[in-house]
Amino acid sequence: LSATARGGWLCAYGDHVPILPAVYEANDFGDGRTDYFIVGTRGDVENDSAVDLAPEDLARSLLHAAGIAR
């Protein structure tokens, strides 16, 4: 992203945990959360701490970080 003149944003998450609840339960892994990140090239993200989000809120958070949505 930093190699482009316009810069940009990247958001990624691992969605494997919610799909396999029986496998994780059988192995005593009860936490169904998965990690995600949002990173941009502008360097002006207000909050870089961990926040628990529902999967459907991730896109809104990306748009907010990019200054596109409130």
Side-chain angles (χ1 to χ4, degrees):
L1 291 173
S2 61
T4 66
R6 294 176 59 193
W9 290 87
L10 178 64
C11 175
Y13 71 99
D15 64 349
H16 55 283
V17 176
I19 292 175
L20 302 169
V23 173
Y24 289 98
E25 184 177 331
N27 290 291
D28 293 326
F29 186 79
D31 188 352
R33 297 176 296 174
T34 188
D35 292 330
Y36 73 91
F37 68 88
I38 298 172
V39 64
T41 57
R42 293 190 329 212
D44 59 351
V45 177
E46 294 177 13
N47 186 352
D48 64 355
S49 62
V51 176
D52 285 340
L53 293 174
E56 60 270 18
D57 293 332
L58 193 54
R60 183 179 305 116
S61 295
L62 171 61
L63 294 174
H64 176 73
I68 298 170
R70 292 183 206 175

